[in-house]
Amino acid sequence: MATYTPMIQQYLKIKADYQDAFLFFRLGDFYEMFFEDATTASQELEITLTSRDGGGDDRIPMCGVPYHSAPTYIERLIEKGYKVAICEQVEDPKKAKGVVKREVIQVISPGTLMNEKGLQEKENNYICSVTHFPDDTFGLALSDLSTGENSVTLISSFHDVVSEIYAKEAKEIVVSSSFSAELLQTVKERMTITISFEESTKVEDAFLHLTESLQQQKLVDTFARILQYLVRTQKRSLEHLQPVQLYQINEYMKIDLFSKRNLELTETIRSKGKKGSLLWLLDQTVTAMGGRLLKNWIDRPLLSKEKIDERLNMVDVLMKQFFEREELRDLLKEVYDLERLAGRVAFGNVNARDLVQLRKSLQKVPEIQEVVYRLNNPYASKLVEDIDPCERLTALLERGLKEHPPLSIKEGDIIADNYNHQLDQYRDASRNGKTWIASLEQKERERTGIRSLKIGYNRVFGYYIEVTRANLHLLPEGMYERKQTLTNAERFITPELKEKEALILEAEEKIVELEYELFAQIREEVKVYIPRLQALAKKVSELDVLQCFAKVSEERHYTKPTFSTNGDIHIKNGRHPVVEKVMNAQEYVPNDCQMTDDSSILLITGPNMSGKSTYMRQVALTAILGQIGCFVPAEEAELPIFDQVFTRIGAADDLISGQSTFMVEMLETKNAVTNATQSSLILLDEIGRGTSTYDGMALAQAIIEYVHEHIGCKTLFSTHYHELTVLDQQLSALRNVHVSAIEKNNKVVFLHKIKEGPADKSYGIHVAELAELPEPLLQRARVILADFENASEEQKVKPTADAVAEPEPEPEPQPIEQPKAETKTDTEQSQLSFFGEEKEQQVKEASLSKREKQIIAELKQLDLLEMTPLDAMNAMYKLQKLLKKK
Ligand code: ADP
Ligand code: MG
């Protein structure tokens, strides 16, 4: 068997260490991929697959991308969830003996992206790591390499871990190879995430300061795994990593992943986009940092009344002081993404334009401070009192950098005049040379009398004197040295010209070199400021989010909520913030919500499309808005502080692709009812709808009873089973409300108004009418409905009758279904009836078979009082036999 060439051997050796990544193997001006990497990459990137002889028996599949356009290709692979290992030549090929030495210099993965193009400005890019401890607790660490933020927490249930990862939209998860594959699978089912492995949990000395504040070894180990992974894959300075923040998930309102999704907090269910979400509605931030913080705040509503009030008071102040707010907004607009800048400084990826942006940002800081002081609010003043404008750095950047430097840091024109003496001298030399040359043109024109004589420059010949062919005869022979002949002109040089040229070029070369050196020094100096810039970034982003709340609250006429401790909800004229925004403001019908201890469960009925879901969500969104410190869409709002919000949607309403199974509905419900406390808010929207009617109704009733008996938290339950509305008779804290609709000319008109009491009708067919389904179809639906109504009356008798035959272990709560038909009272009957009694009777009889009618007739005729028990028994036996006969 032939052996591979040394280069392919080198490739294979390196590749062995990076099995899970595409190895971008540098060969001259290209990154090449071989073997399987090449086949997959050629498909994923739609580039040509070729092959090369590598010394083996078969040709080796190969594909490549040019070095300069590699970032685009890398980004595309990362977007698809892959990793890319960049393998560079690490010695000068000219000096190499044998194969040039190569090493992987960085592994780029979805969670470690630093390239600005691949990152969303207003979104963090998280990588997380999870450690499963023997006591069945979990450590979760989150890092954003682009901003340097790190946090860690301990969580006791894996479900909560998944919710956290989901909320943070982590792109990559790092675990040990012994981590349960089953648990990993549950993560993968919920979101697209790249999985990576890291075994080491050692914290290197250089990073000890990051974990100093962590008291528990578990926390250190959890964070260390991510740290080790970053160190191992990034292979460079990570000086921008910030000390790890310990947090507890129970410091914030818990909104699990189903609820987040269902409430469309940061993305909509349908399109998965930001547009149409609460974040979209709220986002009036003007800095990238503020945008990211806003998203974090929405993810983590507060529980501390004090902290909530601090934010609300500041929003209040900013709302009232319009001019200061607008001034603040204008100033903040000038502030660059300091956090990501700090990250790129550490990575060595900043250019002079970035630093000019930094300078401009820093110059605004004193003004920001001043305008915030003018607000005259203690919290606001506290926020900015220790703000650090990094004056020395500002001064350095002001002195050091030109106004409009180019993108490239290797072509000069970066450093300002008067910053460095040596540089000024080189520049003088170059400028003097150029002036001399400029004056030479004039001088030579006079000397020769050729008015069109000019001096030019090109890269090949340097400076030259150009004389057009027509004027050549005016030039004394041998005056200049001939250099180049063009069709219309001759180009000449003189020793003097070349001498000056040498001086200029030398000066320029030195300028470029020196400028680069000086720039690198400034960049190093900026590095020292990284922690201070990060601290500044935090303040700026907070101010930004608060002004954003104020702006939205003012524009949309929100009110400051108050918080009670008795658990009551009093909302006057509340609105759904997003629905209200997308429709005409005047069209939205506001609704009150009153919930107290003795009406803690609202059972909401009403036709389809009347606004049940909207109403429930507006209550939850109001609570969330309040607890993130924003004003709320209502005229008045008194709210409790909720510890958790659960939102579940019946399967038929659940539009998430591939997950609209009844099982998911039940799993979600289980999670809500087992985790909710008395201080939680539960929204159950048409739960039970994912299964057959009776099944669904039974579950719905049992769930309501369970919440009533065992949890006792504020609950909104919408349902289209109005059979459930009788539950108010046995559940003391349940109150019926309905969304009203009226019938006009046999058509339903939605009023979207919440009213007391149960809805009286199901308007499905009317809605179909509104949608203008063909009239014969509608006609038919009315007949079928009538049949169903009838059939269901009959069916209902059975389960109850069976149940009576078997002794029950415990007294069941009163069933909602009507008891036997015979014992049904008039009032009960009318409650259930969608039709007049007479019509119902006709319908019923029409659907009975001839034999059944006969049996009924016979039954009617029996004179029971005249019969002995045995006669009665015999008569019953006969009738039953008739009935059973096929
Ligand atoms: P349901 O859950 O009862 O089927 P939805 O809550 O989904 O109904 O509401 C259906 C539509 O009705 C919404 O998309 C919205 O356009 C409109 N709607 C709901 N509530 C209101 C309201 N309070 N004012 C105006 N329009 C509303
Ligand atoms: Mg609905």
Side-chain angles (χ1 to χ4, degrees), residues 108-374:
I108 306 174
S109 60
T112 59
L113 205 57
M114 284 296 285
N115 178 355
E116 253 181 294
K117 267 201 287 167
L119 295 170
Q120 295 292 323
E121 235 200 359
K122 287 189 164 184
E123 279 173 29
N124 279 102
N125 193 56
Y126 287 112
I127 180 168
C128 66
S129 81
V130 180
T131 305
H132 191 178
F133 296 106
D135 61 359
D136 212 23
T137 57
F138 297 87
L140 170 69
L142 286 154
S143 296
D144 180 342
L145 185 66
S146 68
T147 63
E149 288 156 83
N150 296 302
S151 58
V152 67
T153 186
L154 286 180
I155 300 181
S156 56
S157 102
F158 194 66
H159 179 266
D160 289 345
V161 174
V162 179
S163 283
E164 272 296 290
I165 301 177
Y166 178 87
K168 294 287 159 212
E169 290 174 39
K171 301 288 185 309
E172 190 171 353
I173 177 171
V174 185
V175 291
S176 101
S177 55
S178 60
F179 193 83
S180 151
E182 201 183 319
L183 292 182
L184 267 186
Q185 188 55 32
T186 58
V187 178
K188 277 205 286 196
E189 273 165 14
R190 295 272 172 232
M191 60 200 99
T192 19
I193 194 162
T194 301
I195 310 233
S196 297
F197 297 97
E198 176 63 52
E199 310 308 327
S200 166
T201 55
K202 183 178 169 327
V203 182
E204 284 167 21
D205 290 353
F207 295 111
L208 278 176
H209 66 286
L210 298 183
T211 56
E212 248 167 23
S213 67
L214 301 178
Q215 305 285 336
Q216 279 174 281
Q217 193 54 39
K218 280 185 188 175
L219 295 169
V220 177
D221 287 352
T222 303
F223 172 68
R225 191 180 307 284
I226 236 175
L227 181 62
Q228 276 296 322
Y229 177 78
L230 294 177
V231 168
R232 185 165 63 79
T233 56
Q234 301 309 299
K235 300 174 187 289
R236 67 186 64 203
S237 152
L238 298 172
E239 280 164 72
H240 69 300
L241 290 186
Q242 306 182 40
V244 187
Q245 297 288 319
L246 171 66
Y247 76 101
Q248 308 290 348
I249 52 172
N250 58 13
E251 280 166 30
Y252 303 99
M253 180 202 270
K254 230 164 101 179
I255 320 172
D256 64 13
L257 71 105
F258 308 119
S259 310
K260 280 204 165 119
R261 201 183 59 192
N262 293 340
L263 288 172
E264 307 194 308
L265 294 186
T266 55
E267 60 178 31
T268 59
I269 297 180
R270 263 169 224 253
S271 69
K272 296 232 160 228
K274 176 176 167 186
K275 185 149 193 248
S277 67
L278 184 69
L279 174 64
W280 164 76
L281 168 95
L282 282 182
D283 193 358
Q284 293 271 6
T285 58
V286 292
T287 68
M289 301 165 281
R292 293 195 296 268
L293 185 68
L294 171 64
K295 196 167 179 208
N296 284 337
W297 278 13
I298 294 176
D299 271 335
R300 293 181 178 175
L302 302 172
L303 296 181
S304 145
K305 181 169 180 303
E306 206 187 329
K307 285 190 182 151
I308 296 172
D309 281 338
E310 270 179 356
R311 288 186 191 173
L312 285 172
N313 291 340
M314 175 90 174
V315 172
D316 204 6
V317 168
L318 281 164
M319 214 163 114
K320 289 178 184 143
Q321 285 172 253
F322 173 84
F323 291 106
E324 280 79 6
R325 185 182 82 220
E326 285 305 308
E327 209 176 307
L328 177 64
R329 262 176 87 81
D330 286 343
L331 289 168
L332 289 173
K333 278 182 194 156
E334 304 285 321
V335 181
Y336 189 57
D337 193 341
L338 300 173
E339 282 175 315
R340 289 223 162 119
L341 178 101
R344 294 212 313 283
V345 169
F347 255 57
N349 288 351
V350 279
N351 58 37
R353 285 202 190 157
D354 291 326
L355 296 190
V356 166
Q357 299 270 29
L358 173 61
R359 177 179 71 201
K360 283 192 189 148
S361 311
L362 291 174
Q363 284 166 338
K364 295 290 167 202
V365 175
E367 289 176 63
I368 291 176
Q369 197 170 23
E370 188 265 332
V371 73
V372 173
Y373 276 136
R374 264 196 278 142

Side-chain angles (χ1 to χ4, degrees), residues 793-832:
E793 284 307 302
E794 288 194 342
Q795 264 186 32
K796 272 180 196 162
V797 184
K798 286 180 190 158
T800 332
D802 285 349
V804 176
E806 270 177 34
E808 285 294 324
E810 263 177 54
E812 277 277 288
Q814 187 187 332
I816 352 147
E817 296 95 336
Q818 297 303 318
K820 290 183 192 177
E822 298 94 302
T823 62
K824 200 194 271 176
T825 66
D826 280 345
T827 41
E828 278 171 328
Q829 186 136 28
S830 62
Q831 240 169 10
L832 273 181

Side-chain angles (χ1 to χ4, degrees), residues 628-857:
I628 63 176
C630 184
F631 283 16
V632 298
E635 253 171 57
E636 280 168 30
E638 185 190 331
L639 302 161
I641 292 181
F642 290 108
D643 65 348
Q644 306 177 75
V645 170
F646 296 95
T647 312
R648 300 298 184 256
I649 308 185
D653 248 11
D654 188 346
L655 297 160
I656 302 295
S657 52
Q659 293 200 0
S660 46
T661 65
F662 184 61
M663 184 62 182
V664 173
E665 179 184 335
M666 285 299 110
L667 281 172
E668 292 189 14
T669 308
K670 175 207 127 181
N671 221 283
V673 297
T674 49
N675 288 310
T677 72
Q678 210 185 344
S679 314
S680 306
L681 175 66
I682 301 186
L683 313 184
L684 296 171
D685 194 353
E686 311 240 5
I687 286 298
R689 133 141 132 172
T691 180
S692 70
T693 310
Y694 287 100
D695 221 15
M697 203 150 65
L699 274 166
Q701 181 179 346
I703 290 168
I704 297 175
E705 285 170 0
Y706 187 90
V707 171
H708 189 270
E709 297 310 314
H710 301 282
I711 307 172
C713 67
K714 299 284 174 296
T715 303
L716 293 106
F717 195 109
S718 76
T719 183
H720 63 286
Y721 301 127
H722 21 86
E723 289 87 341
L724 293 178
T725 55
V726 298
L727 276 175
D728 65 344
Q729 289 162 19
Q730 46 161 311
L731 303 180
S732 61
L734 183 138
R735 198 171 101 229
N736 278 308
V737 295
H738 67 280
V739 199
S740 55
I742 50 167
E743 248 184 282
K744 228 180 183 172
N745 305 331
N746 217 14
K747 294 252 162 70
V748 60
V749 179
F750 299 131
L751 301 177
H752 304 302
K753 198 77 192 165
I754 296 282
K755 299 209 166 129
E756 291 300 317
D760 51 355
K761 274 193 177 187
S762 183
Y763 293 80
I765 293 181
H766 291 293
V767 176
E769 238 174 72
L770 277 186
E772 295 182 353
L773 264 67
E775 187 47 40
L777 189 156
L778 293 169
Q779 200 65 44
R780 175 69 186 139
R782 286 184 202 107
V783 173
I784 299 174
L785 173 67
D787 281 356
F788 277 146
E789 290 295 340
N790 177 47
S792 73
E793 284 307 302
E794 288 194 342
Q795 264 186 32
K796 272 180 196 162
V797 184
K798 286 180 190 158
T800 332
D802 285 349
V804 176
E806 270 177 34
E808 285 294 324
E810 263 177 54
E812 277 277 288
Q814 187 187 332
I816 352 147
E817 296 95 336
Q818 297 303 318
K820 290 183 192 177
E822 298 94 302
T823 62
K824 200 194 271 176
T825 66
D826 280 345
T827 41
E828 278 171 328
Q829 186 136 28
S830 62
Q831 240 169 10
L832 273 181
S833 170
F834 294 179
F835 306 94
E837 228 173 298
E838 200 184 347
K839 193 169 163 199
E840 195 175 44
Q841 198 59 34
Q842 289 164 4
V843 175
K844 246 185 208 171
E845 286 185 2
S847 67
L848 292 179
S849 73
K850 213 172 141 194
R851 180 149 19 105
E852 284 164 338
K853 282 184 196 157
Q854 189 196 336
I855 294 166
I856 292 172

Side-chain angles (χ1 to χ4, degrees), residues 579 583 587-589 591 607-615 752:
V579 176
M583 65 199 294
E587 282 172 28
Y588 194 87
V589 182
N591 274 304
N608 245 330
M609 292 296 291
S610 60
K612 299 183 295 297
S613 304
T614 309
Y615 178 67
H752 304 302

